[in-house]
Amino acid sequence: MEITLIGTGTGTPSIRRNPACVLFRLGDKNAVFDSGPGTLRSLLSTGVEHKNIDLLFYTHLHLDHISDFSVILFAAKIPPEIRKNPLYVYGPTGLKDYHKKIKALYGDTLSADSYKLILEEIENKELGIEGFTILTKTLEHHGGGMGYRITAPGGKIAVYTGDTDYCEAAVELSRDADILIAECSFPEEMKMKGHLTPESAARIANEAGVKKLVLTHMYPICDNYDLVSACEKAFKGEIIVGEDRMKFELKQEVLL
Ligand SMILES: [Zn+2]
Ligand SMILES: [Zn+2]
């Protein structure tokens, strides 16, 4: 399993961090988790063209996570790069209604004429793709939100929280994960309801017994703080402050 942080930022513009997006390589498929503003250009900077997105997964319907869903559908219609291969889109309850509304707004410019578009709401469900198991759980975020737990065929586990506050469900979702990509919106002093801080992200990592904690979804103010030291108060494992285009590989150990 290969994971690339495409955008480690939020809805507040930052030169350093693009809005929310994480790219997972699942087998030979490109799976994009969240697509905030500018995602297609950011993906391109890592060599992934929009027509090569196979699967889209959304954590929730806030614009810093889903705004470029319409842009992806729009780009699929522009010659000569007209999309031919199917596009699978998964997300929380309300995804289908969201799609209906953007189609009503933008009309034919978003219609999937040349390819198959499959939408599925998978909140609190389990899904099998290319030998990977994908489990979702409703977490604690204003306006809803769900996190993803991705288990590779060999058993390695990656978790992506999307937006959430500290909650039992986040701990459960992250249980024994090899890598937890957790949102970390604000430093402790500026804690906002429905979001994590370094300490609360670290608390989830600690209680869930994860190996590696990677922080993402950081508002610009976070860049003025020592986030690692703040995390160390609650978590003894490896801590990484995510940066755009940072890559992780979860390899299965071969037992001889
Ligand atoms: Zn949100
Ligand atoms: Zn957000």
Side-chain angles (χ1 to χ4, degrees):
M1 180 160 32
E2 204 179 86
I3 305 163
T4 311
L5 305 178
I6 301 295
T8 55
T10 63
T12 300
S14 155
I15 298 290
R16 178 168 165 181
R17 303 181 185 283
N18 287 302
C21 180
V22 187
L23 171 70
F24 279 74
R25 189 92 187 138
L26 305 180
D28 63 351
K29 300 272 185 273
N30 286 316
V32 169
F33 285 70
D34 286 335
S35 65
T39 284
L40 290 192
R41 188 170 180 272
S42 311
L43 271 174
L44 202 53
S45 74
T46 65
V48 177
E49 293 180 54
H50 68 86
K51 60 180 181 195
N52 296 330
I53 298 171
D54 301 295
L55 307 145
L56 283 169
F57 292 91
Y58 290 105
T59 57
H60 63 304
L61 307 178
H62 284 161
L63 282 177
D64 56 325
H65 297 256
I66 202 171
S67 81
D68 273 13
F69 177 30
S70 13
V71 179
I72 290 164
L73 299 180
F74 183 67
K77 296 196 63 142
I78 303 172
E81 304 287 338
I82 293 172
R83 188 180 181 96
K84 296 273 179 355
N85 49 325
L87 179 62
Y88 292 84
V89 188
Y90 301 99
T93 309
L95 175 75
K96 286 186 177 178
D97 186 47
Y98 178 86
H99 177 246
K100 209 189 280 177
K101 283 174 177 157
I102 55 172
K103 264 190 78 183
L105 185 62
Y106 295 111
D108 274 353
T109 62
L110 298 193
S111 59
D113 306 318
S114 59
Y115 63 99
K116 213 172 149 193
L117 178 69
I118 304 100
L119 281 120
E120 214 177 311
E121 296 178 352
I122 55 163
E123 192 152 351
N124 298 311
K125 289 191 179 144
E126 199 177 277
L127 195 72
I129 291 172
E130 301 276 304
F132 290 79
T133 306
I134 294 166
L135 175 83
T136 71
K137 231 180 218 312
T138 305
L139 302 182
E140 211 174 296
H141 186 54
H142 41 84
M146 64 184 202
Y148 285 87
R149 176 183 175 96
I150 302 110
T151 308
K156 290 279 179 188
I157 300 162
V159 171
Y160 171 50
T161 63
D163 288 2
T164 186
D165 208 322
Y166 172 86
C167 57
E168 275 306 317
V171 177
E172 225 177 284
L173 186 75
S174 310
R175 184 74 61 209
D176 299 324
D178 293 279
I179 183 167
L180 166 61
I181 302 166
E183 78 121 293
C184 175
S185 290
F186 299 103
E188 212 59 43
E189 298 88 322
M190 296 175 65
K191 160 88 181 112
M192 263 177 63
K193 201 172 153 39
H195 285 292
L196 294 173
T197 60
E199 281 182 46
S200 49
R203 189 179 156 203
I204 294 172
N206 177 54
E207 289 174 11
V210 314
K211 291 191 179 73
K212 187 193 298 229
L213 170 65
V214 177
L215 303 180
T216 189
H217 197 272
M218 286 161 279
Y219 277 84
I221 187 79
C222 286
D223 292 331
N224 302 333
Y225 285 78
D226 180 356
L227 303 176
V228 171
S229 299
C231 285
E232 279 170 350
K233 291 180 192 164
F235 179 60
K236 300 292 166 233
E238 190 182 353
I239 301 156
I240 293 169
V241 177
E243 296 293 343
D244 290 8
R245 288 181 287 278
M246 206 177 242
K247 218 174 210 175
F248 303 92
E249 214 177 325
L250 289 187
K251 276 201 188 124
Q252 206 59 46
E253 292 91 12
V254 182
L255 298 174
L256 296 171

